[in-house]
Amino acid sequence: MTSKTINFFALSICSVLFFGHQVSAASQSANTLDQTGTVKVKQSDKTGVLDPEDPEEIVDPTDPGPSTVGPLRIDYVAPIDFGTVSLTPTNRTYNILANKIGNKFRGNFIQITDLRAKKSGWTLQVKQEQQFQTTESEELTGSVLSFDKGWANSQMSSIDPVVKRDTLSIKNIGQVYDVAVATPDISGGTWSIIFGATSTNDDGQPGTIK
């Protein structure tokens, strides 16, 4: 089976706009006529952003973030914000700020929806296009962007997509890194791939958001 590949910056998909089901009326008496009908169901082209720790709830992110369209799509990518930091000889690790959605704070996450009639799986990948720079355009040579404590969550009760590693370190500019992989049997529906969690989450994840 083939897999579809999702990048933060590009998405290649097979478009499926409609799918049909045939229904047949049962003959119950001499006055009943058999008839066959066809119904076409139009798929939604947009999914609301769901709380990654409580996917039954639609939330309103402070920053709407980028998204793509189609039956296989990225609904939301949380912004990466380090706030304002100072570069010193000893302070070399900077934490990403938590993602604010409504009045809640969550780990950075990506939301994916797969509504294709024929599932073939998907792979979420990330690529850093250029090195970090100061406000004076001075390149921060050797900087590494890292995400850890990755996990997947959904309204679905099936097996989760596999988050590829506990710590994802993007060390090489322009290199593609796998983030998560969903096989055809588990790829359908809407999924969040999250990095970090609050201490009050109900999914058994360690609390990392301060």
Side-chain angles (χ1 to χ4, degrees), residues 113-127:
T113 293
D114 185 359
L115 298 179
R116 293 171 297 170
K118 184 177 181 180
K119 307 295 187 294
S120 59
W122 49 258
T123 299
L124 177 68
Q125 297 178 321
V126 63
K127 178 175 63 174

PDB file of all heavy atoms in Angstrom, residues 113-127:
ATOM      1  N   THR A 113      -6.573  15.900   9.400  1.00  0.00           N
ATOM      2  CA  THR A 113      -7.840  15.228   9.114  1.00  0.00           C
ATOM      3  C   THR A 113      -7.702  14.404   7.840  1.00  0.00           C
ATOM      4  O   THR A 113      -7.191  14.883   6.831  1.00  0.00           O
ATOM      5  CB  THR A 113      -8.989  16.242   8.951  1.00  0.00           C
ATOM      6  OG1 THR A 113      -9.244  16.868  10.216  1.00  0.00           O
ATOM      7  CG2 THR A 113     -10.263  15.571   8.479  1.00  0.00           C
ATOM      8  N   ASP A 114      -8.168  13.150   7.887  1.00  0.00           N
ATOM      9  CA  ASP A 114      -8.153  12.260   6.729  1.00  0.00           C
ATOM     10  C   ASP A 114      -9.580  11.762   6.505  1.00  0.00           C
ATOM     11  O   ASP A 114     -10.079  10.911   7.244  1.00  0.00           O
ATOM     12  CB  ASP A 114      -7.208  11.079   6.975  1.00  0.00           C
ATOM     13  CG  ASP A 114      -7.056  10.184   5.753  1.00  0.00           C
ATOM     14  OD1 ASP A 114      -7.698  10.459   4.718  1.00  0.00           O
ATOM     15  OD2 ASP A 114      -6.295   9.192   5.835  1.00  0.00           O
ATOM     16  N   LEU A 115     -10.248  12.299   5.478  1.00  0.00           N
ATOM     17  CA  LEU A 115     -11.614  11.915   5.141  1.00  0.00           C
ATOM     18  C   LEU A 115     -11.680  11.175   3.808  1.00  0.00           C
ATOM     19  O   LEU A 115     -12.758  11.067   3.215  1.00  0.00           O
ATOM     20  CB  LEU A 115     -12.513  13.160   5.085  1.00  0.00           C
ATOM     21  CG  LEU A 115     -12.663  13.950   6.390  1.00  0.00           C
ATOM     22  CD1 LEU A 115     -13.550  15.160   6.160  1.00  0.00           C
ATOM     23  CD2 LEU A 115     -13.226  13.076   7.496  1.00  0.00           C
ATOM     24  N   ARG A 116     -10.558  10.655   3.333  1.00  0.00           N
ATOM     25  CA  ARG A 116     -10.563   9.946   2.056  1.00  0.00           C
ATOM     26  C   ARG A 116     -11.390   8.667   2.155  1.00  0.00           C
ATOM     27  O   ARG A 116     -11.354   7.960   3.171  1.00  0.00           O
ATOM     28  CB  ARG A 116      -9.130   9.610   1.643  1.00  0.00           C
ATOM     29  CG  ARG A 116      -8.273  10.816   1.313  1.00  0.00           C
ATOM     30  CD  ARG A 116      -6.819  10.437   1.130  1.00  0.00           C
ATOM     31  NE  ARG A 116      -6.257   9.902   2.365  1.00  0.00           N
ATOM     32  CZ  ARG A 116      -5.069   9.324   2.445  1.00  0.00           C
ATOM     33  NH1 ARG A 116      -4.324   9.197   1.356  1.00  0.00           N
ATOM     34  NH2 ARG A 116      -4.624   8.873   3.602  1.00  0.00           N
ATOM     35  N   ALA A 117     -12.134   8.358   1.095  1.00  0.00           N
ATOM     36  CA  ALA A 117     -12.937   7.145   1.077  1.00  0.00           C
ATOM     37  C   ALA A 117     -12.047   5.904   1.123  1.00  0.00           C
ATOM     38  O   ALA A 117     -12.375   4.909   1.764  1.00  0.00           O
ATOM     39  CB  ALA A 117     -13.819   7.117  -0.169  1.00  0.00           C
ATOM     40  N   LYS A 118     -10.907   5.971   0.452  1.00  0.00           N
ATOM     41  CA  LYS A 118      -9.954   4.859   0.458  1.00  0.00           C
ATOM     42  C   LYS A 118      -8.709   5.306   1.199  1.00  0.00           C
ATOM     43  O   LYS A 118      -7.911   6.086   0.699  1.00  0.00           O
ATOM     44  CB  LYS A 118      -9.604   4.447  -0.973  1.00  0.00           C
ATOM     45  CG  LYS A 118      -8.680   3.230  -1.031  1.00  0.00           C
ATOM     46  CD  LYS A 118      -8.413   2.811  -2.473  1.00  0.00           C
ATOM     47  CE  LYS A 118      -7.501   1.580  -2.511  1.00  0.00           C
ATOM     48  NZ  LYS A 118      -7.224   1.161  -3.923  1.00  0.00           N
ATOM     49  N   LYS A 119      -8.531   4.815   2.392  1.00  0.00           N
ATOM     50  CA  LYS A 119      -7.392   5.219   3.219  1.00  0.00           C
ATOM     51  C   LYS A 119      -6.117   4.518   2.743  1.00  0.00           C
ATOM     52  O   LYS A 119      -6.127   3.343   2.422  1.00  0.00           O
ATOM     53  CB  LYS A 119      -7.649   4.871   4.685  1.00  0.00           C
ATOM     54  CG  LYS A 119      -8.960   5.412   5.242  1.00  0.00           C
ATOM     55  CD  LYS A 119      -8.962   6.927   5.276  1.00  0.00           C
ATOM     56  CE  LYS A 119     -10.201   7.479   5.981  1.00  0.00           C
ATOM     57  NZ  LYS A 119     -11.446   7.192   5.253  1.00  0.00           N
ATOM     58  N   SER A 120      -5.024   5.275   2.689  1.00  0.00           N
ATOM     59  CA  SER A 120      -3.733   4.672   2.325  1.00  0.00           C
ATOM     60  C   SER A 120      -2.638   5.084   3.290  1.00  0.00           C
ATOM     61  O   SER A 120      -1.464   4.903   3.013  1.00  0.00           O
ATOM     62  CB  SER A 120      -3.348   5.066   0.886  1.00  0.00           C
ATOM     63  OG  SER A 120      -3.258   6.463   0.755  1.00  0.00           O
ATOM     64  N   GLY A 121      -3.030   5.661   4.441  1.00  0.00           N
ATOM     65  CA  GLY A 121      -2.041   6.062   5.429  1.00  0.00           C
ATOM     66  C   GLY A 121      -1.462   7.433   5.129  1.00  0.00           C
ATOM     67  O   GLY A 121      -1.668   7.997   4.059  1.00  0.00           O
ATOM     68  N   TRP A 122      -0.750   7.979   6.109  1.00  0.00           N
ATOM     69  CA  TRP A 122      -0.063   9.248   5.895  1.00  0.00           C
ATOM     70  C   TRP A 122       1.178   9.335   6.776  1.00  0.00           C
ATOM     71  O   TRP A 122       1.299   8.634   7.776  1.00  0.00           O
ATOM     72  CB  TRP A 122      -0.978  10.448   6.137  1.00  0.00           C
ATOM     73  CG  TRP A 122      -1.775  10.463   7.407  1.00  0.00           C
ATOM     74  CD1 TRP A 122      -3.090  10.168   7.549  1.00  0.00           C
ATOM     75  CD2 TRP A 122      -1.310  10.812   8.731  1.00  0.00           C
ATOM     76  NE1 TRP A 122      -3.484  10.307   8.863  1.00  0.00           N
ATOM     77  CE2 TRP A 122      -2.405  10.701   9.608  1.00  0.00           C
ATOM     78  CE3 TRP A 122      -0.081  11.210   9.251  1.00  0.00           C
ATOM     79  CZ2 TRP A 122      -2.316  10.965  10.982  1.00  0.00           C
ATOM     80  CZ3 TRP A 122       0.022  11.474  10.618  1.00  0.00           C
ATOM     81  CH2 TRP A 122      -1.089  11.350  11.455  1.00  0.00           C
ATOM     82  N   THR A 123       2.097  10.180   6.357  1.00  0.00           N
ATOM     83  CA  THR A 123       3.314  10.463   7.108  1.00  0.00           C
ATOM     84  C   THR A 123       3.447  11.965   7.286  1.00  0.00           C
ATOM     85  O   THR A 123       3.390  12.713   6.306  1.00  0.00           O
ATOM     86  CB  THR A 123       4.561   9.920   6.381  1.00  0.00           C
ATOM     87  OG1 THR A 123       4.454   8.502   6.252  1.00  0.00           O
ATOM     88  CG2 THR A 123       5.840  10.254   7.158  1.00  0.00           C
ATOM     89  N   LEU A 124       3.584  12.408   8.514  1.00  0.00           N
ATOM     90  CA  LEU A 124       3.787  13.821   8.810  1.00  0.00           C
ATOM     91  C   LEU A 124       5.286  14.081   8.916  1.00  0.00           C
ATOM     92  O   LEU A 124       5.995  13.380   9.637  1.00  0.00           O
ATOM     93  CB  LEU A 124       3.100  14.192  10.123  1.00  0.00           C
ATOM     94  CG  LEU A 124       3.278  15.635  10.610  1.00  0.00           C
ATOM     95  CD1 LEU A 124       2.558  16.603   9.687  1.00  0.00           C
ATOM     96  CD2 LEU A 124       2.776  15.782  12.043  1.00  0.00           C
ATOM     97  N   GLN A 125       5.761  15.084   8.177  1.00  0.00           N
ATOM     98  CA  GLN A 125       7.193  15.399   8.156  1.00  0.00           C
ATOM     99  C   GLN A 125       7.407  16.886   8.404  1.00  0.00           C
ATOM    100  O   GLN A 125       6.511  17.702   8.183  1.00  0.00           O
ATOM    101  CB  GLN A 125       7.802  15.007   6.811  1.00  0.00           C
ATOM    102  CG  GLN A 125       7.737  13.526   6.513  1.00  0.00           C
ATOM    103  CD  GLN A 125       8.298  13.190   5.152  1.00  0.00           C
ATOM    104  OE1 GLN A 125       8.096  13.927   4.187  1.00  0.00           O
ATOM    105  NE2 GLN A 125       9.006  12.088   5.064  1.00  0.00           N
ATOM    106  N   VAL A 126       8.593  17.232   8.853  1.00  0.00           N
ATOM    107  CA  VAL A 126       8.949  18.625   9.081  1.00  0.00           C
ATOM    108  C   VAL A 126      10.315  18.900   8.474  1.00  0.00           C
ATOM    109  O   VAL A 126      11.182  18.016   8.432  1.00  0.00           O
ATOM    110  CB  VAL A 126       8.951  18.954  10.601  1.00  0.00           C
ATOM    111  CG1 VAL A 126      10.002  18.146  11.336  1.00  0.00           C
ATOM    112  CG2 VAL A 126       9.167  20.448  10.833  1.00  0.00           C
ATOM    113  N   LYS A 127      10.486  20.131   7.994  1.00  0.00           N
ATOM    114  CA  LYS A 127      11.770  20.557   7.423  1.00  0.00           C
ATOM    115  C   LYS A 127      12.000  22.007   7.799  1.00  0.00           C
ATOM    116  O   LYS A 127      11.113  22.849   7.611  1.00  0.00           O
ATOM    117  CB  LYS A 127      11.759  20.397   5.899  1.00  0.00           C
ATOM    118  CG  LYS A 127      13.040  20.876   5.226  1.00  0.00           C
ATOM    119  CD  LYS A 127      13.025  20.586   3.728  1.00  0.00           C
ATOM    120  CE  LYS A 127      11.934  21.322   3.001  1.00  0.00           C
ATOM    121  NZ  LYS A 127      12.016  21.150   1.532  1.00  0.00           N
TER     122      LYS A 127
END
